[in-house]
Amino acid sequence: MRQSEIDVLGARVRVLEVGEGAPLLWLHGPEGPRAEPLLTELAKGYRVIAPELPGFGRCPTPSWMMSVADVAYFCLDLVDALKLGRPFLAGHSIGGWVAADMAIKRPDLFPALALVAPMGAQASAPGVDIFAISPDEAIGAQFHDPALARDVIAARADEEIDIGLQNRTGLARLGWTPRFADLQLPRWLHRVRARTLVVWGEEDRIVPVDAHAVFAREIPGAKVALLPDCGHAVPVERGVEAAAIISSFLAGARA
Amino acid sequence: MKVYFFHLMPYADLDLSQVDKHGGAWVTLPNTNFDSGKGRALYERYIGELELADQLGFDGVCVNEHHQTAYGLMPAPNLIAAGLARTTKQAKICVLGRALPLVNNPMMIAEEFAMLDHLSNGRLIAGFVRGIGTEYFSNSVNPTFSHERFQEAHDLILRAWTEPGPFSFRGKHYQFDYVNLWPRPVQTPRPPVWIPSQGSAETVLWAAAKERRYTYLQTFSPFPQALKAFRGYRDAALAEGYEAEPSQMGWAVPTYVAETDEQARRELAPHIEAFFNKFIKFPSLEMRLPPGYSSIASTKALMVAKFQARANATIDKLIEQGIIVCGSPKTVYERIAYCQREMGFGHLMAMLQIGSQPAEMTNRSMRLFADEVMPRLKAHDDADSRARVASVP
């Protein structure tokens, strides 16, 4: 993986990059850009560009960041700054919400869009409130398989505790109320022209899987892939399988 | 020294086993545990205790705001204050405080406080707080905007009280084309503003700033932490080029008086331990410290230090740490006098009802305190604290 930094609108953005091929902009979920094994698998066919979203990781919450729309515009500026042309766009969780908003704002810019358990649409209530539980419990709540969650927690370095707290702050800024949703989002999803794939874990307790129906209904021609025995942390819990589904969808979209 | 009676109005009839069953007494404790008949009787009793404090000569009566909790039955403290404004005669009416960031229209707070100032004929003391972390869950307000909203709501309320209207206010979180407060407050230029806190360094500095000089109120703290906050306030004042008056500092402390030390400890123990182990129990540390409510550094520090420490409070530990004052009139007087000398505060908010403490104990403790402790404390003038404080390095 290559790591670089770029200034966008006075904010310093850390960008992970891996793989060669057509550019694929990856917008991370609540745990930050290192979404493995998904990214490594995607990098076998694409040049994956994974920026750290403002308000996450080592970036303190910017005062201008009031909503997902601000992050979406920021990432559109980032596409220009990185000279990505017309990249594929994919995102997980909060990053999926930002990606959907970018595709609404610039229907012309993205040939294809992959939304992995995106936040943004309101369906049934979450099974847990991740802000009411400890960071470790919140990791646990994102997995269907508790053994995988234990591995992730055990592998966490000390410095990641600060990053974890910052990620929670960024997530809260964007999704505190209504929790992880924009009630107006479904109304404008019809503007998306990118060919769209929605991937979801059937056992998602953070953003329950029935929200997939909102994206499938409102985005013209959207395809859906549901993964059984999988929680919210799709890139980790079922990263290899999700990458194969996404790669094959993007390959079809390119044609 | 000025001496006040501070009431939290807990749901004293709480079945304490329910707190453990549901993980805490805040936000998620089902309200089926609230019995309306008992609740109504508690309001009657508590308002009576506040009125008694006025009759006994306390300088003020204090109420505060908390939501969705058995810890306190005052989500709307101004309602209690409005009643007290009519039934008390001389005591200051202290609302400590309203939680500014929780409201979408801070003008309502400016209006209600102005009305209270009229109903009480200028006896209002207006407290401003951010609300504790759980309040951001129960009020569905984004905690990452807590500081910004507090600051902005404060600016709006102060301007609404003191500047001729109408004018417009353009903030990031609050915008008003017409700010034109009717009624304006009775007190000129405005009611006194007090800032209750548990000792956050940022809050202490902010309150002490020379353009504000707000009375800073330290609540529920071990002795060293309270001492540090008051020293921080005085240092901040010196850095701002002035010397802080004792009247700019207040100490809120659970207090219980009985005939002897032994009797006081024995009687208070179950109630104060219920208070610290059950009524202050939060469903999780994260609900007490939601993201953005405090800086990441202080969140981390608080996570390790403070809240676990109280999980197994006992009356002996609480007295030893200086979190509460309990004993015979002599012991209580001497302890408070010692704390005043060390800390330098000019206001004492005695919390003379706490947790499950019943009416008879409260009444007896209040009267003993008023008869045998309060007159001696009131006789202390500012020099008693300032002289000692000046010699503290």
Side-chain angles (χ1 to χ4, degrees):
Chain A
M1 283 202 191
R2 307 177 287 280
Q3 190 166 307
S4 59
E5 294 190 355
I6 183 169
D7 284 322
V8 180
L9 294 174
R12 194 126 190 96
V13 185
R14 297 154 63 90
V15 183
L16 283 179
E17 212 177 308
V18 56
E20 305 294 337
L24 166 58
L25 181 64
W26 169 261
L27 303 182
H28 64 76
E31 304 305 325
R34 283 184 193 277
E36 292 301 345
L38 182 90
L39 291 197
T40 300
E41 290 295 315
L42 288 174
K44 290 175 180 169
Y46 298 90
R47 175 188 162 213
V48 180
I49 301 109
E52 200 165 69
L53 295 173
F56 288 80
R58 288 175 181 79
C59 174
T61 319
S63 68
W64 55 260
M65 189 174 101
M66 301 285 283
S67 69
V68 163
D70 294 318
V71 184
Y73 280 121
F74 181 88
C75 289
L76 288 169
D77 279 359
L78 182 68
V79 170
D80 292 340
L82 291 169
K83 299 184 172 56
L84 298 181
R86 296 181 73 241
F88 293 125
L89 179 60
H92 169 231
S93 186
I94 183 70
W97 182 3
V98 174
D101 201 33
M102 291 167 73
I104 288 170
K105 290 177 162 48
R106 285 294 304 273
D108 57 307
L109 194 62
F110 307 102
L113 171 67
L115 302 175
V116 182
M119 294 175 167
Q122 203 164 53
S124 57
V128 292
D129 180 356
I130 58 171
F131 294 125
I133 56 182
S134 75
D136 285 358
E137 289 166 333
I139 290 172
Q142 292 178 55
F143 285 85
H144 176 63
D145 180 356
L148 280 173
R150 281 197 293 274
D151 292 347
V152 169
I153 292 164
R156 211 170 32 151
D158 273 357
E159 77 241 26
E160 288 175 62
I161 291 172
D162 280 25
I163 290 175
L165 288 172
Q166 179 59 52
N167 287 348
R168 279 167 85 97
T169 308
L171 190 63
R173 171 60 60 88
L174 300 174
W176 187 266
T177 185
R179 195 70 106 234
F180 305 140
D182 170 2
L183 302 189
Q184 291 298 95
L185 185 75
R187 181 166 188 81
W188 305 114
L189 284 173
H190 74 90
R191 287 173 50 83
V192 174
R193 288 291 168 270
R195 293 192 191 191
T196 301
L197 170 70
V198 180
V199 183
W200 225 296
E202 288 185 348
E203 306 300 329
D204 194 327
R205 282 178 283 161
I206 310 296
V207 191
V209 65
D210 55 354
H212 86 270
V214 177
F215 291 93
R217 186 177 67 233
E218 303 298 340
I219 299 178
K223 300 280 188 290
V224 175
L226 302 184
L227 303 172
D229 300 326
C230 178
H232 186 64
V234 178
V236 183
E237 189 150 34
R238 298 292 283 279
V240 175
E241 190 179 343
I245 294 168
I246 293 168
S247 295
S248 119
F249 174 79
L250 296 181
R254 195 183 338 195
Chain B
M1 189 195 301
K2 288 201 167 19
V3 183
Y4 305 69
F5 173 56
F6 195 158
H7 213 311
L8 300 175
M9 292 201 175
Y11 184 62
D13 291 307
L14 182 65
D15 173 356
L16 299 176
S17 70
Q18 292 291 309
V19 174
D20 293 325
K21 185 177 166 199
H22 295 283
W26 297 73
V27 188
T28 56
L29 178 65
N31 65 1
T32 46
N33 289 289
F34 176 82
D35 178 289
S36 292
K38 290 175 178 170
R40 203 206 60 78
L42 285 173
Y43 277 115
E44 191 77 31
R45 172 192 150 193
Y46 291 160
I47 289 168
E49 288 167 359
L50 285 154
E51 289 165 348
L52 175 63
D54 176 60
Q55 292 151 20
L56 292 174
F58 282 78
D59 292 297
V61 288
C62 313
V63 293
N64 75 347
E65 169 180 345
H66 286 296
H67 298 264
Q68 298 190 11
T69 176
Y71 170 96
L73 300 176
M74 279 188 287
N78 286 355
L79 293 181
I80 305 294
L84 293 173
R86 305 308 298 164
T87 55
T88 60
K89 296 290 181 283
Q90 49 80 30
K92 297 282 186 190
I93 308 290
C94 315
V95 181
L96 303 174
R98 289 286 335 255
L100 307 190
L102 301 185
V103 299
N104 290 322
N105 178 4
M107 283 298 288
M108 290 179 65
I109 294 178
E111 289 166 344
E112 287 176 13
F113 274 158
M115 287 176 69
L116 278 173
D117 207 27
H118 283 274
L119 298 181
S120 66
N121 192 20
R123 288 184 282 141
L124 176 72
I125 289 173
F128 294 160
V129 296
R130 289 199 293 132
I132 67 166
T134 49
E135 253 98 53
Y136 291 79
F137 289 85
S138 48
N139 288 267
S140 213
V141 169
N142 193 319
T144 73
F145 291 128
S146 170
H147 284 287
E148 288 181 6
R149 283 167 69 99
F150 177 85
Q151 187 63 58
E152 218 174 87
H154 160 272
D155 294 350
L156 171 60
I157 293 167
L158 264 284
R159 287 188 57 192
W161 279 346
T162 56
E163 289 182 24
F167 61 86
S168 67
F169 182 88
R170 305 240 187 277
K172 179 176 169 186
H173 297 277
Y174 303 113
Q175 292 91 30
F176 288 84
D177 286 323
Y178 305 95
V179 178
N180 191 20
L181 193 73
W182 287 75
R184 291 164 54 213
V186 171
Q187 297 178 79
T188 328
R190 55 164 174 77
V193 173
W194 287 17
I195 307 295
S197 169
Q198 293 200 342
S200 135
E202 297 98 325
T203 304
V204 170
L205 289 178
W206 183 83
K210 63 174 176 299
E211 67 274 24
R212 284 183 282 270
R213 303 185 193 209
Y214 293 155
T215 294
Y216 172 81
L217 196 62
Q218 179 76 15
T219 58
F220 294 131
S221 323
F223 181 83
Q225 196 180 318
L227 194 61
K228 190 177 157 200
F230 291 122
R231 281 189 182 156
Y233 190 102
R234 276 190 301 271
D235 288 348
L238 287 176
E240 292 271 312
Y242 77 97
E243 193 179 336
E245 298 291 327
S247 65
Q248 285 173 258
M249 288 168 277
W251 184 44
V253 62
T255 304
Y256 185 71
V257 195
E259 294 298 336
T260 66
D261 288 353
E262 191 278 326
Q263 184 191 348
R265 282 191 194 224
R266 175 166 40 80
E267 288 178 348
L268 184 64
H271 308 295
I272 197 78
E273 288 168 13
F275 179 76
F276 280 100
N277 296 328
K278 307 293 183 192
F279 285 90
I280 302 192
K281 187 170 179 183
F282 300 100
S284 65
L285 185 57
E286 285 68 27
M287 289 187 92
R288 178 69 178 80
L289 293 168
Y293 179 79
S294 299
S295 70
I296 284 180
S298 22
T299 301
K300 244 173 95 173
L302 287 168
M303 277 180 164
V304 286
K306 193 159 147 194
F307 295 100
Q308 275 84 350
R310 292 210 199 116
N312 288 303
T314 62
I315 191 162
D316 293 340
K317 264 197 282 185
L318 290 164
I319 292 173
E320 189 187 321
Q321 293 172 334
I323 297 174
I324 68 170
V325 177
C326 171
S328 67
K330 178 170 180 290
T331 299
V332 167
Y333 166 73
E334 283 171 0
R335 176 67 193 172
I336 294 170
Y338 169 78
C339 289
Q340 186 201 16
R341 278 196 306 277
E342 294 296 317
M343 298 180 191
F345 53 82
H347 305 279
L348 176 80
M349 342 308 289
M351 302 165 123
L352 285 153
Q353 191 285 332
I354 210 84
S356 51
Q357 187 182 320
E360 184 276 325
M361 274 176 65
T362 304
N363 191 283
R364 190 156 40 84
S365 172
M366 282 177 74
R367 288 179 187 279
L368 264 179
F369 182 88
D371 289 347
E372 300 188 27
V373 181
M374 191 159 72
R376 299 178 71 187
L377 292 175
K378 283 192 176 192
H380 287 216
D381 65 19
D382 286 357
D384 286 312
S385 51
R386 213 185 326 198
R388 179 68 179 85
V389 166
S391 68
V392 171

